Amino acid sequence: GDSVTQMEGPVTLSEEAFLTINCTYTATGYPSLFWYVQYPGEGLQLLLKATKADDKGSNKGFEATYRKETTSFHLEKGSVQVSDSAVYFCALISGGGADGLTFGKGTHLIIQP
Amino acid sequence: DTAVSQTPKYLVTQMGNDKSIKCEQNLGHDTMYWYKQDSKKFLKIMFSYNNKELIINETVPNRFSPKSPDKAHLNLHINSLELGDSAVYFCASSQADHNEQFFGPGTRLTVL
């Protein structure tokens, strides 16, 4: 079945540091890939997505590129802020949308001032 | 306007009780979902439903059942609650030909 593996945290960085959160996947078919973010006490918000190989998703300074050859979708940001502290989930959906998202275990990011 | 809403936000109940969580979306989407997030933040699909088909994750106990009175609602009914059902439950929706899912704020269920 489909699976997503992402680095487990917590990941602690200083403000303005460079961020990378690794994500790799296995999937049948040709999945769409997502990063969701969950702020404390809230639901999940879509951060960015990519639907085909070499697509780059970007939003709020975050970027991720769909790499089919390495089955990866690593999340990056050049300069993190305290407000970026949250749990980040890599996810995929393959086949029809009715199958639901397959999530990684989440990475807790803590940004210190 | 809230796109996907859930009620209640918190639900505390005793073992053995039956409870329901309501979900409504005002996005005009035709597919809705329920996810369970455990204490370690792991998210897992429970159900997906559109007006044609219900897909059930095989690991979900049959004490859980989704009910859809109309296209905008997908409620979750849970019978004979157990301690292990304690979790945060998220509702989500999407349009059939788009994969992006929109999530509700979650319902934290605590079974005592």
Side-chain angles (χ1 to χ4, degrees), chain A residues 32 34 36 38 41-44 46 49 89 93 97-101 103-105, chain B residues 9 31 33 35 37 40-43 45 48 55 90 96 99-101 103-105:
Chain A
S32 293
F34 306 86
Y36 279 84
Q38 185 176 27
E42 297 185 11
L44 281 81
L46 178 67
K49 66 178 182 180
F89 293 92
I93 194 163
D99 294 340
L101 287 159
F103 283 93
K105 292 189 175 181
Chain B
K9 188 170 175 64
T31 305
Y33 311 82
Y35 290 84
Q37 185 176 45
K40 295 184 178 179
K41 297 283 190 183
F42 185 55
L43 280 149
I45 181 75
S48 66
I55 298 177
F90 287 99
N99 289 329
E100 178 178 341
Q101 295 183 17
F103 283 77

PDB file of all heavy atoms in Angstrom, chain A residues 32 34 36 38 41-44 46 49 89 93 97-101 103-105, chain B residues 9 31 33 35 37 40-43 45 48 55 90 96 99-101 103-105:
ATOM      1  N   SER A  32      -0.426  12.543  -6.225  1.00  0.00           N
ATOM      2  CA  SER A  32      -0.278  13.966  -5.955  1.00  0.00           C
ATOM      3  C   SER A  32       0.303  14.095  -4.547  1.00  0.00           C
ATOM      4  O   SER A  32      -0.010  13.287  -3.669  1.00  0.00           O
ATOM      5  CB  SER A  32      -1.624  14.678  -6.021  1.00  0.00           C
ATOM      6  OG  SER A  32      -2.134  14.668  -7.337  1.00  0.00           O
ATOM      7  N   PHE A  34       1.476  16.543  -1.084  1.00  0.00           N
ATOM      8  CA  PHE A  34       1.026  17.695  -0.317  1.00  0.00           C
ATOM      9  C   PHE A  34       1.889  17.882   0.934  1.00  0.00           C
ATOM     10  O   PHE A  34       2.441  16.924   1.478  1.00  0.00           O
ATOM     11  CB  PHE A  34      -0.427  17.498   0.162  1.00  0.00           C
ATOM     12  CG  PHE A  34      -1.400  17.179  -0.929  1.00  0.00           C
ATOM     13  CD1 PHE A  34      -1.593  15.876  -1.354  1.00  0.00           C
ATOM     14  CD2 PHE A  34      -2.144  18.184  -1.506  1.00  0.00           C
ATOM     15  CE1 PHE A  34      -2.495  15.574  -2.364  1.00  0.00           C
ATOM     16  CE2 PHE A  34      -3.058  17.900  -2.511  1.00  0.00           C
ATOM     17  CZ  PHE A  34      -3.233  16.597  -2.941  1.00  0.00           C
ATOM     18  N   TYR A  36       0.857  19.641   4.582  1.00  0.00           N
ATOM     19  CA  TYR A  36      -0.141  20.286   5.423  1.00  0.00           C
ATOM     20  C   TYR A  36       0.550  20.771   6.699  1.00  0.00           C
ATOM     21  O   TYR A  36       1.532  20.170   7.156  1.00  0.00           O
ATOM     22  CB  TYR A  36      -1.258  19.313   5.801  1.00  0.00           C
ATOM     23  CG  TYR A  36      -2.321  19.122   4.744  1.00  0.00           C
ATOM     24  CD1 TYR A  36      -2.138  18.212   3.703  1.00  0.00           C
ATOM     25  CD2 TYR A  36      -3.501  19.866   4.780  1.00  0.00           C
ATOM     26  CE1 TYR A  36      -3.115  18.049   2.733  1.00  0.00           C
ATOM     27  CE2 TYR A  36      -4.484  19.699   3.812  1.00  0.00           C
ATOM     28  CZ  TYR A  36      -4.279  18.796   2.792  1.00  0.00           C
ATOM     29  OH  TYR A  36      -5.250  18.631   1.829  1.00  0.00           O
ATOM     30  N   GLN A  38      -0.236  22.050  10.807  1.00  0.00           N
ATOM     31  CA  GLN A  38      -1.196  22.090  11.911  1.00  0.00           C
ATOM     32  C   GLN A  38      -0.629  22.941  13.020  1.00  0.00           C
ATOM     33  O   GLN A  38       0.351  22.562  13.671  1.00  0.00           O
ATOM     34  CB  GLN A  38      -1.483  20.669  12.422  1.00  0.00           C
ATOM     35  CG  GLN A  38      -2.555  20.619  13.493  1.00  0.00           C
ATOM     36  CD  GLN A  38      -2.885  19.192  13.925  1.00  0.00           C
ATOM     37  OE1 GLN A  38      -2.058  18.286  13.847  1.00  0.00           O
ATOM     38  NE2 GLN A  38      -4.102  18.980  14.386  1.00  0.00           N
ATOM     39  N   GLY A  41      -3.643  23.402  18.504  1.00  0.00           N
ATOM     40  CA  GLY A  41      -5.074  23.487  18.770  1.00  0.00           C
ATOM     41  C   GLY A  41      -5.940  23.718  17.551  1.00  0.00           C
ATOM     42  O   GLY A  41      -7.146  23.967  17.689  1.00  0.00           O
ATOM     43  N   GLU A  42      -5.369  23.617  16.367  1.00  0.00           N
ATOM     44  CA  GLU A  42      -6.144  23.886  15.156  1.00  0.00           C
ATOM     45  C   GLU A  42      -6.191  22.669  14.237  1.00  0.00           C
ATOM     46  O   GLU A  42      -5.526  21.659  14.472  1.00  0.00           O
ATOM     47  CB  GLU A  42      -5.538  25.077  14.401  1.00  0.00           C
ATOM     48  CG  GLU A  42      -5.574  26.377  15.193  1.00  0.00           C
ATOM     49  CD  GLU A  42      -5.089  27.545  14.368  1.00  0.00           C
ATOM     50  OE1 GLU A  42      -4.925  27.401  13.141  1.00  0.00           O
ATOM     51  OE2 GLU A  42      -4.858  28.625  14.969  1.00  0.00           O
ATOM     52  N   GLY A  43      -6.982  22.800  13.183  1.00  0.00           N
ATOM     53  CA  GLY A  43      -7.046  21.753  12.167  1.00  0.00           C
ATOM     54  C   GLY A  43      -5.911  21.879  11.180  1.00  0.00           C
ATOM     55  O   GLY A  43      -5.001  22.692  11.356  1.00  0.00           O
ATOM     56  N   LEU A  44      -5.956  21.069  10.145  1.00  0.00           N
ATOM     57  CA  LEU A  44      -4.892  21.055   9.148  1.00  0.00           C
ATOM     58  C   LEU A  44      -5.185  22.079   8.056  1.00  0.00           C
ATOM     59  O   LEU A  44      -6.315  22.204   7.581  1.00  0.00           O
ATOM     60  CB  LEU A  44      -4.777  19.675   8.501  1.00  0.00           C
ATOM     61  CG  LEU A  44      -4.053  18.634   9.326  1.00  0.00           C
ATOM     62  CD1 LEU A  44      -4.980  18.040  10.357  1.00  0.00           C
ATOM     63  CD2 LEU A  44      -3.487  17.549   8.441  1.00  0.00           C
ATOM     64  N   LEU A  46      -3.745  23.300   4.204  1.00  0.00           N
ATOM     65  CA  LEU A  46      -2.873  22.972   3.092  1.00  0.00           C
ATOM     66  C   LEU A  46      -1.806  24.041   2.958  1.00  0.00           C
ATOM     67  O   LEU A  46      -2.117  25.234   2.870  1.00  0.00           O
ATOM     68  CB  LEU A  46      -3.666  22.868   1.797  1.00  0.00           C
ATOM     69  CG  LEU A  46      -2.838  22.576   0.556  1.00  0.00           C
ATOM     70  CD1 LEU A  46      -2.254  21.169   0.636  1.00  0.00           C
ATOM     71  CD2 LEU A  46      -3.684  22.718  -0.704  1.00  0.00           C
ATOM     72  N   LYS A  49       1.254  22.100  -2.659  1.00  0.00           N
ATOM     73  CA  LYS A  49       1.016  20.812  -3.305  1.00  0.00           C
ATOM     74  C   LYS A  49       1.733  20.759  -4.638  1.00  0.00           C
ATOM     75  O   LYS A  49       2.150  21.792  -5.188  1.00  0.00           O
ATOM     76  CB  LYS A  49      -0.480  20.591  -3.521  1.00  0.00           C
ATOM     77  CG  LYS A  49      -1.101  21.555  -4.519  1.00  0.00           C
ATOM     78  CD  LYS A  49      -2.578  21.243  -4.735  1.00  0.00           C
ATOM     79  CE  LYS A  49      -3.183  22.194  -5.769  1.00  0.00           C
ATOM     80  NZ  LYS A  49      -4.625  21.927  -6.000  1.00  0.00           N
ATOM     81  N   PHE A  89       2.943  17.997   8.062  1.00  0.00           N
ATOM     82  CA  PHE A  89       2.628  16.656   7.571  1.00  0.00           C
ATOM     83  C   PHE A  89       2.838  16.594   6.060  1.00  0.00           C
ATOM     84  O   PHE A  89       2.288  17.413   5.317  1.00  0.00           O
ATOM     85  CB  PHE A  89       1.158  16.306   7.855  1.00  0.00           C
ATOM     86  CG  PHE A  89       0.822  16.151   9.303  1.00  0.00           C
ATOM     87  CD1 PHE A  89       0.351  17.234  10.039  1.00  0.00           C
ATOM     88  CD2 PHE A  89       0.961  14.933   9.938  1.00  0.00           C
ATOM     89  CE1 PHE A  89       0.030  17.103  11.380  1.00  0.00           C
ATOM     90  CE2 PHE A  89       0.641  14.787  11.280  1.00  0.00           C
ATOM     91  CZ  PHE A  89       0.179  15.872  12.002  1.00  0.00           C
ATOM     92  N   ILE A  93      -1.894  11.384  -2.252  1.00  0.00           N
ATOM     93  CA  ILE A  93      -3.111  10.717  -2.676  1.00  0.00           C
ATOM     94  C   ILE A  93      -2.841  10.133  -4.050  1.00  0.00           C
ATOM     95  O   ILE A  93      -2.289  10.793  -4.919  1.00  0.00           O
ATOM     96  CB  ILE A  93      -4.315  11.667  -2.654  1.00  0.00           C
ATOM     97  CG1 ILE A  93      -5.614  10.900  -2.770  1.00  0.00           C
ATOM     98  CG2 ILE A  93      -4.201  12.740  -3.715  1.00  0.00           C
ATOM     99  CD1 ILE A  93      -6.821  11.718  -2.355  1.00  0.00           C
ATOM    100  N   GLY A  97      -9.625  10.400  -5.823  1.00  0.00           N
ATOM    101  CA  GLY A  97      -9.673  11.208  -4.614  1.00  0.00           C
ATOM    102  C   GLY A  97     -10.410  10.530  -3.482  1.00  0.00           C
ATOM    103  O   GLY A  97     -10.173  10.826  -2.327  1.00  0.00           O
ATOM    104  N   ALA A  98     -11.264   9.583  -3.808  1.00  0.00           N
ATOM    105  CA  ALA A  98     -12.051   8.934  -2.772  1.00  0.00           C
ATOM    106  C   ALA A  98     -11.205   8.067  -1.852  1.00  0.00           C
ATOM    107  O   ALA A  98     -11.671   7.658  -0.802  1.00  0.00           O
ATOM    108  CB  ALA A  98     -13.155   8.094  -3.408  1.00  0.00           C
ATOM    109  N   ASP A  99      -9.973   7.820  -2.219  1.00  0.00           N
ATOM    110  CA  ASP A  99      -9.134   6.963  -1.386  1.00  0.00           C
ATOM    111  C   ASP A  99      -8.671   7.660  -0.124  1.00  0.00           C
ATOM    112  O   ASP A  99      -8.221   7.019   0.806  1.00  0.00           O
ATOM    113  CB  ASP A  99      -7.910   6.498  -2.168  1.00  0.00           C
ATOM    114  CG  ASP A  99      -8.296   5.578  -3.317  1.00  0.00           C
ATOM    115  OD1 ASP A  99      -9.403   5.017  -3.264  1.00  0.00           O
ATOM    116  OD2 ASP A  99      -7.504   5.431  -4.256  1.00  0.00           O
ATOM    117  N   GLY A 100      -8.716   8.973  -0.080  1.00  0.00           N
ATOM    118  CA  GLY A 100      -8.238   9.677   1.095  1.00  0.00           C
ATOM    119  C   GLY A 100      -6.737   9.876   1.058  1.00  0.00           C
ATOM    120  O   GLY A 100      -6.016   9.226   0.300  1.00  0.00           O
ATOM    121  N   LEU A 101      -6.269  10.794   1.889  1.00  0.00           N
ATOM    122  CA  LEU A 101      -4.855  11.104   1.974  1.00  0.00           C
ATOM    123  C   LEU A 101      -4.132  10.076   2.831  1.00  0.00           C
ATOM    124  O   LEU A 101      -4.665   9.618   3.846  1.00  0.00           O
ATOM    125  CB  LEU A 101      -4.663  12.492   2.601  1.00  0.00           C
ATOM    126  CG  LEU A 101      -5.035  13.683   1.719  1.00  0.00           C
ATOM    127  CD1 LEU A 101      -5.295  14.907   2.582  1.00  0.00           C
ATOM    128  CD2 LEU A 101      -3.937  13.964   0.720  1.00  0.00           C
ATOM    129  N   PHE A 103      -0.885   9.986   5.146  1.00  0.00           N
ATOM    130  CA  PHE A 103      -0.031  10.966   5.823  1.00  0.00           C
ATOM    131  C   PHE A 103       1.247  10.336   6.360  1.00  0.00           C
ATOM    132  O   PHE A 103       1.259   9.161   6.751  1.00  0.00           O
ATOM    133  CB  PHE A 103      -0.774  11.575   7.020  1.00  0.00           C
ATOM    134  CG  PHE A 103      -1.803  12.605   6.657  1.00  0.00           C
ATOM    135  CD1 PHE A 103      -3.128  12.239   6.475  1.00  0.00           C
ATOM    136  CD2 PHE A 103      -1.460  13.931   6.519  1.00  0.00           C
ATOM    137  CE1 PHE A 103      -4.087  13.189   6.153  1.00  0.00           C
ATOM    138  CE2 PHE A 103      -2.414  14.896   6.200  1.00  0.00           C
ATOM    139  CZ  PHE A 103      -3.728  14.514   6.011  1.00  0.00           C
ATOM    140  N   GLY A 104       2.307  11.142   6.426  1.00  0.00           N
ATOM    141  CA  GLY A 104       3.448  10.807   7.245  1.00  0.00           C
ATOM    142  C   GLY A 104       3.114  11.064   8.704  1.00  0.00           C
ATOM    143  O   GLY A 104       2.027  11.551   9.028  1.00  0.00           O
ATOM    144  N   LYS A 105       4.045  10.758   9.588  1.00  0.00           N
ATOM    145  CA  LYS A 105       3.767  10.841  11.023  1.00  0.00           C
ATOM    146  C   LYS A 105       3.848  12.259  11.575  1.00  0.00           C
ATOM    147  O   LYS A 105       3.562  12.476  12.738  1.00  0.00           O
ATOM    148  CB  LYS A 105       4.713   9.924  11.785  1.00  0.00           C
ATOM    149  CG  LYS A 105       4.437   8.451  11.518  1.00  0.00           C
ATOM    150  CD  LYS A 105       5.228   7.550  12.431  1.00  0.00           C
ATOM    151  CE  LYS A 105       4.825   6.094  12.197  1.00  0.00           C
ATOM    152  NZ  LYS A 105       5.558   5.168  13.087  1.00  0.00           N
TER     153      LYS A 105
ATOM    154  N   LYS B   9     -16.666  20.652  19.468  1.00  0.00           N
ATOM    155  CA  LYS B   9     -15.211  20.771  19.421  1.00  0.00           C
ATOM    156  C   LYS B   9     -14.572  19.820  20.428  1.00  0.00           C
ATOM    157  O   LYS B   9     -13.504  19.270  20.188  1.00  0.00           O
ATOM    158  CB  LYS B   9     -14.786  22.206  19.717  1.00  0.00           C
ATOM    159  CG  LYS B   9     -13.299  22.476  19.510  1.00  0.00           C
ATOM    160  CD  LYS B   9     -12.995  23.946  19.595  1.00  0.00           C
ATOM    161  CE  LYS B   9     -11.496  24.213  19.499  1.00  0.00           C
ATOM    162  NZ  LYS B   9     -10.943  23.824  18.204  1.00  0.00           N
ATOM    163  N   THR B  31     -17.245  15.150  -2.201  1.00  0.00           N
ATOM    164  CA  THR B  31     -16.636  14.053  -1.457  1.00  0.00           C
ATOM    165  C   THR B  31     -16.262  14.543  -0.066  1.00  0.00           C
ATOM    166  O   THR B  31     -15.692  15.623   0.084  1.00  0.00           O
ATOM    167  CB  THR B  31     -15.374  13.519  -2.174  1.00  0.00           C
ATOM    168  OG1 THR B  31     -15.729  13.154  -3.513  1.00  0.00           O
ATOM    169  CG2 THR B  31     -14.822  12.299  -1.457  1.00  0.00           C
ATOM    170  N   TYR B  33     -14.791  13.213   4.038  1.00  0.00           N
ATOM    171  CA  TYR B  33     -13.911  12.232   4.668  1.00  0.00           C
ATOM    172  C   TYR B  33     -13.950  12.385   6.183  1.00  0.00           C
ATOM    173  O   TYR B  33     -14.223  13.468   6.713  1.00  0.00           O
ATOM    174  CB  TYR B  33     -12.448  12.463   4.237  1.00  0.00           C
ATOM    175  CG  TYR B  33     -12.213  12.615   2.764  1.00  0.00           C
ATOM    176  CD1 TYR B  33     -12.421  13.844   2.131  1.00  0.00           C
ATOM    177  CD2 TYR B  33     -11.765  11.548   1.993  1.00  0.00           C
ATOM    178  CE1 TYR B  33     -12.198  13.997   0.779  1.00  0.00           C
ATOM    179  CE2 TYR B  33     -11.528  11.694   0.628  1.00  0.00           C
ATOM    180  CZ  TYR B  33     -11.745  12.931   0.029  1.00  0.00           C
ATOM    181  OH  TYR B  33     -11.515  13.082  -1.314  1.00  0.00           O
ATOM    182  N   TYR B  35     -11.123  11.470   9.301  1.00  0.00           N
ATOM    183  CA  TYR B  35      -9.788  11.033   9.689  1.00  0.00           C
ATOM    184  C   TYR B  35      -9.716  10.956  11.215  1.00  0.00           C
ATOM    185  O   TYR B  35     -10.366  11.723  11.914  1.00  0.00           O
ATOM    186  CB  TYR B  35      -8.719  12.023   9.218  1.00  0.00           C
ATOM    187  CG  TYR B  35      -8.504  12.065   7.733  1.00  0.00           C
ATOM    188  CD1 TYR B  35      -9.310  12.846   6.912  1.00  0.00           C
ATOM    189  CD2 TYR B  35      -7.478  11.329   7.146  1.00  0.00           C
ATOM    190  CE1 TYR B  35      -9.104  12.895   5.538  1.00  0.00           C
ATOM    191  CE2 TYR B  35      -7.269  11.366   5.780  1.00  0.00           C
ATOM    192  CZ  TYR B  35      -8.079  12.159   4.985  1.00  0.00           C
ATOM    193  OH  TYR B  35      -7.872  12.200   3.639  1.00  0.00           O
ATOM    194  N   GLN B  37      -6.906  11.222  14.358  1.00  0.00           N
ATOM    195  CA  GLN B  37      -5.541  11.580  14.758  1.00  0.00           C
ATOM    196  C   GLN B  37      -5.306  11.080  16.184  1.00  0.00           C
ATOM    197  O   GLN B  37      -5.983  11.515  17.117  1.00  0.00           O
ATOM    198  CB  GLN B  37      -5.318  13.088  14.675  1.00  0.00           C
ATOM    199  CG  GLN B  37      -3.870  13.489  14.965  1.00  0.00           C
ATOM    200  CD  GLN B  37      -3.630  14.975  14.783  1.00  0.00           C
ATOM    201  OE1 GLN B  37      -4.407  15.811  15.224  1.00  0.00           O
ATOM    202  NE2 GLN B  37      -2.519  15.322  14.121  1.00  0.00           N
ATOM    203  N   LYS B  40      -0.253  10.461  19.220  1.00  0.00           N
ATOM    204  CA  LYS B  40       1.065  10.767  18.674  1.00  0.00           C
ATOM    205  C   LYS B  40       0.972  11.602  17.398  1.00  0.00           C
ATOM    206  O   LYS B  40       1.942  11.748  16.668  1.00  0.00           O
ATOM    207  CB  LYS B  40       1.824   9.463  18.395  1.00  0.00           C
ATOM    208  CG  LYS B  40       2.129   8.680  19.646  1.00  0.00           C
ATOM    209  CD  LYS B  40       2.960   7.448  19.349  1.00  0.00           C
ATOM    210  CE  LYS B  40       3.294   6.717  20.642  1.00  0.00           C
ATOM    211  NZ  LYS B  40       4.097   5.491  20.395  1.00  0.00           N
ATOM    212  N   LYS B  41      -0.197  12.145  17.152  1.00  0.00           N
ATOM    213  CA  LYS B  41      -0.450  13.040  16.007  1.00  0.00           C
ATOM    214  C   LYS B  41      -0.560  12.305  14.676  1.00  0.00           C
ATOM    215  O   LYS B  41      -0.626  12.958  13.634  1.00  0.00           O
ATOM    216  CB  LYS B  41       0.648  14.124  15.877  1.00  0.00           C
ATOM    217  CG  LYS B  41       0.733  15.065  17.049  1.00  0.00           C
ATOM    218  CD  LYS B  41      -0.370  16.081  16.995  1.00  0.00           C
ATOM    219  CE  LYS B  41      -0.166  17.190  18.011  1.00  0.00           C
ATOM    220  NZ  LYS B  41      -1.282  18.146  17.998  1.00  0.00           N
ATOM    221  N   PHE B  42      -0.551  10.974  14.693  1.00  0.00           N
ATOM    222  CA  PHE B  42      -0.643  10.236  13.444  1.00  0.00           C
ATOM    223  C   PHE B  42      -2.064  10.294  12.903  1.00  0.00           C
ATOM    224  O   PHE B  42      -3.021  10.003  13.623  1.00  0.00           O
ATOM    225  CB  PHE B  42      -0.200   8.792  13.639  1.00  0.00           C
ATOM    226  CG  PHE B  42      -0.151   8.007  12.366  1.00  0.00           C
ATOM    227  CD1 PHE B  42       0.600   8.447  11.286  1.00  0.00           C
ATOM    228  CD2 PHE B  42      -0.861   6.830  12.230  1.00  0.00           C
ATOM    229  CE1 PHE B  42       0.644   7.730  10.102  1.00  0.00           C
ATOM    230  CE2 PHE B  42      -0.816   6.098  11.047  1.00  0.00           C
ATOM    231  CZ  PHE B  42      -0.068   6.553   9.979  1.00  0.00           C
ATOM    232  N   LEU B  43      -2.195  10.638  11.629  1.00  0.00           N
ATOM    233  CA  LEU B  43      -3.497  10.786  10.965  1.00  0.00           C
ATOM    234  C   LEU B  43      -3.768   9.600  10.065  1.00  0.00           C
ATOM    235  O   LEU B  43      -2.919   9.221   9.256  1.00  0.00           O
ATOM    236  CB  LEU B  43      -3.500  12.046  10.112  1.00  0.00           C
ATOM    237  CG  LEU B  43      -3.725  13.351  10.840  1.00  0.00           C
ATOM    238  CD1 LEU B  43      -3.000  14.466  10.129  1.00  0.00           C
ATOM    239  CD2 LEU B  43      -5.217  13.650  10.928  1.00  0.00           C
ATOM    240  N   ILE B  45      -6.939   7.803   7.510  1.00  0.00           N
ATOM    241  CA  ILE B  45      -8.253   7.893   6.910  1.00  0.00           C
ATOM    242  C   ILE B  45      -9.169   6.820   7.502  1.00  0.00           C
ATOM    243  O   ILE B  45      -8.758   5.668   7.712  1.00  0.00           O
ATOM    244  CB  ILE B  45      -8.175   7.742   5.369  1.00  0.00           C
ATOM    245  CG1 ILE B  45      -9.539   7.863   4.711  1.00  0.00           C
ATOM    246  CG2 ILE B  45      -7.502   6.427   4.972  1.00  0.00           C
ATOM    247  CD1 ILE B  45     -10.059   9.248   4.645  1.00  0.00           C
ATOM    248  N   SER B  48     -14.276   7.606   3.337  1.00  0.00           N
ATOM    249  CA  SER B  48     -14.521   8.641   2.346  1.00  0.00           C
ATOM    250  C   SER B  48     -15.890   8.345   1.733  1.00  0.00           C
ATOM    251  O   SER B  48     -16.297   7.182   1.620  1.00  0.00           O
ATOM    252  CB  SER B  48     -13.442   8.676   1.266  1.00  0.00           C
ATOM    253  OG  SER B  48     -13.481   7.507   0.493  1.00  0.00           O
ATOM    254  N   ILE B  55     -16.333   4.417   0.982  1.00  0.00           N
ATOM    255  CA  ILE B  55     -15.119   3.614   1.092  1.00  0.00           C
ATOM    256  C   ILE B  55     -14.711   3.594   2.554  1.00  0.00           C
ATOM    257  O   ILE B  55     -14.555   4.640   3.182  1.00  0.00           O
ATOM    258  CB  ILE B  55     -13.975   4.169   0.223  1.00  0.00           C
ATOM    259  CG1 ILE B  55     -14.384   4.122  -1.253  1.00  0.00           C
ATOM    260  CG2 ILE B  55     -12.689   3.378   0.449  1.00  0.00           C
ATOM    261  CD1 ILE B  55     -13.363   4.714  -2.184  1.00  0.00           C
ATOM    262  N   PHE B  90     -11.100  14.412  12.544  1.00  0.00           N
ATOM    263  CA  PHE B  90     -11.178  15.504  11.574  1.00  0.00           C
ATOM    264  C   PHE B  90     -12.072  15.101  10.409  1.00  0.00           C
ATOM    265  O   PHE B  90     -11.944  14.013   9.847  1.00  0.00           O
ATOM    266  CB  PHE B  90      -9.789  15.842  11.023  1.00  0.00           C
ATOM    267  CG  PHE B  90      -8.895  16.553  11.995  1.00  0.00           C
ATOM    268  CD1 PHE B  90      -7.931  15.852  12.696  1.00  0.00           C
ATOM    269  CD2 PHE B  90      -9.017  17.908  12.194  1.00  0.00           C
ATOM    270  CE1 PHE B  90      -7.096  16.497  13.593  1.00  0.00           C
ATOM    271  CE2 PHE B  90      -8.185  18.575  13.089  1.00  0.00           C
ATOM    272  CZ  PHE B  90      -7.227  17.859  13.791  1.00  0.00           C
ATOM    273  N   ALA B  96     -14.401  16.126  -6.495  1.00  0.00           N
ATOM    274  CA  ALA B  96     -13.989  14.823  -7.013  1.00  0.00           C
ATOM    275  C   ALA B  96     -12.804  14.899  -7.965  1.00  0.00           C
ATOM    276  O   ALA B  96     -11.928  14.056  -7.936  1.00  0.00           O
ATOM    277  CB  ALA B  96     -15.167  14.153  -7.703  1.00  0.00           C
ATOM    278  N   ASN B  99      -7.647  16.979  -5.942  1.00  0.00           N
ATOM    279  CA  ASN B  99      -7.216  16.197  -4.803  1.00  0.00           C
ATOM    280  C   ASN B  99      -7.081  16.988  -3.524  1.00  0.00           C
ATOM    281  O   ASN B  99      -6.939  16.400  -2.464  1.00  0.00           O
ATOM    282  CB  ASN B  99      -5.881  15.525  -5.130  1.00  0.00           C
ATOM    283  CG  ASN B  99      -6.064  14.416  -6.144  1.00  0.00           C
ATOM    284  OD1 ASN B  99      -7.104  13.781  -6.187  1.00  0.00           O
ATOM    285  ND2 ASN B  99      -5.065  14.189  -6.955  1.00  0.00           N
ATOM    286  N   GLU B 100      -7.087  18.300  -3.592  1.00  0.00           N
ATOM    287  CA  GLU B 100      -6.893  19.110  -2.396  1.00  0.00           C
ATOM    288  C   GLU B 100      -8.069  18.932  -1.447  1.00  0.00           C
ATOM    289  O   GLU B 100      -9.229  19.057  -1.854  1.00  0.00           O
ATOM    290  CB  GLU B 100      -6.763  20.577  -2.769  1.00  0.00           C
ATOM    291  CG  GLU B 100      -6.594  21.503  -1.579  1.00  0.00           C
ATOM    292  CD  GLU B 100      -6.424  22.950  -2.009  1.00  0.00           C
ATOM    293  OE1 GLU B 100      -6.094  23.167  -3.180  1.00  0.00           O
ATOM    294  OE2 GLU B 100      -6.626  23.834  -1.169  1.00  0.00           O
ATOM    295  N   GLN B 101      -7.775  18.625  -0.199  1.00  0.00           N
ATOM    296  CA  GLN B 101      -8.812  18.440   0.811  1.00  0.00           C
ATOM    297  C   GLN B 101      -8.773  19.584   1.818  1.00  0.00           C
ATOM    298  O   GLN B 101      -7.699  20.031   2.216  1.00  0.00           O
ATOM    299  CB  GLN B 101      -8.624  17.101   1.530  1.00  0.00           C
ATOM    300  CG  GLN B 101      -8.828  15.913   0.598  1.00  0.00           C
ATOM    301  CD  GLN B 101      -8.727  14.584   1.299  1.00  0.00           C
ATOM    302  OE1 GLN B 101      -8.820  14.501   2.522  1.00  0.00           O
ATOM    303  NE2 GLN B 101      -8.549  13.538   0.520  1.00  0.00           N
ATOM    304  N   PHE B 103      -9.904  20.784   5.592  1.00  0.00           N
ATOM    305  CA  PHE B 103     -10.168  20.133   6.868  1.00  0.00           C
ATOM    306  C   PHE B 103     -10.967  21.020   7.818  1.00  0.00           C
ATOM    307  O   PHE B 103     -10.802  22.256   7.828  1.00  0.00           O
ATOM    308  CB  PHE B 103      -8.844  19.746   7.549  1.00  0.00           C
ATOM    309  CG  PHE B 103      -8.217  18.517   6.961  1.00  0.00           C
ATOM    310  CD1 PHE B 103      -7.543  18.578   5.752  1.00  0.00           C
ATOM    311  CD2 PHE B 103      -8.326  17.296   7.610  1.00  0.00           C
ATOM    312  CE1 PHE B 103      -6.971  17.435   5.196  1.00  0.00           C
ATOM    313  CE2 PHE B 103      -7.760  16.154   7.056  1.00  0.00           C
ATOM    314  CZ  PHE B 103      -7.084  16.225   5.861  1.00  0.00           C
ATOM    315  N   GLY B 104     -11.774  20.365   8.633  1.00  0.00           N
ATOM    316  CA  GLY B 104     -12.437  21.037   9.728  1.00  0.00           C
ATOM    317  C   GLY B 104     -11.482  21.224  10.899  1.00  0.00           C
ATOM    318  O   GLY B 104     -10.348  20.743  10.864  1.00  0.00           O
ATOM    319  N   PRO B 105     -11.946  21.892  11.965  1.00  0.00           N
ATOM    320  CA  PRO B 105     -11.085  22.208  13.108  1.00  0.00           C
ATOM    321  C   PRO B 105     -10.829  21.028  14.033  1.00  0.00           C
ATOM    322  O   PRO B 105      -9.981  21.110  14.917  1.00  0.00           O
ATOM    323  CB  PRO B 105     -11.860  23.304  13.832  1.00  0.00           C
ATOM    324  CG  PRO B 105     -13.282  23.029  13.484  1.00  0.00           C
ATOM    325  CD  PRO B 105     -13.269  22.501  12.082  1.00  0.00           C
TER     326      PRO B 105
END
